[in-house]
Amino acid sequence: AEDTGLRVELAEEGDCSNSSLALRLWVEDPKKLKGKHKDNEAIEFSFNLETDTPEEVAYEMVKSGFFHESDSKAVAKSIRDRVNLIKKARDKKPAGC
Amino acid sequence: SSLTQVVHSAGRRFIVSPVPESRLRES
């Protein structure tokens, strides 16, 4: 959340073989967002490491009215940063977990 | 619970719930 004002955390992780995750996103620093958004509300969503892209999820969040179009890049970046961290952590785990 | 709202968009489900107090204090 250091630069986008948004925080994304892992809500639920399947086992390593499962590429689907549950992530949770909320606004940590409202001043860093340009458009209207819902304060104090966390949005939990599924994310498939193999088929989903952060940009696509951000677009759906904007379409659903959670964020303004002007913040979609920040939402996508926050999701991408967290997903990259999760992928790195998984790469470190022994094969077969 | 009544505080949780489910929104569907393009086949994806978003579950909206209040941010836990503890997480708000962190920021």
Side-chain angles (χ1 to χ4, degrees), chain B residues 6-22:
Chain B
V6 179
V7 174
H8 287 269
S9 159
R12 186 184 308 276
R13 191 172 62 148
F14 292 110
I15 301 170
V16 184
S17 53
V19 179
E21 269 307 304
S22 56

Side-chain angles (χ1 to χ4, degrees), chain A residues 21-60:
Chain A
L21 308 167
L23 297 176
R24 184 180 293 120
L25 176 147
W26 72 90
V27 177
E28 202 159 51
D29 184 353
K31 296 187 292 299
K32 291 192 177 170
L33 293 181
K34 302 184 189 94
K36 69 171 179 48
H37 54 272
K38 301 187 184 222
D39 264 346
N40 301 348
E41 283 193 333
I43 303 164
E44 189 169 323
F45 57 95
S46 62
F47 188 90
N48 187 303
L49 291 172
E50 282 156 19
T51 56
D52 287 333
T53 62
E55 289 73 16
E56 174 193 354
V57 176
Y59 173 70
E60 285 163 14

Side-chain angles (χ1 to χ4, degrees), chain A residues 10-25:
Chain A
L10 193 54
E12 206 175 292
E13 178 168 21
D15 59 45
C16 301
S17 58
N18 186 350
S19 56
S20 190
L21 308 167
L23 297 176
R24 184 180 293 120
L25 176 147

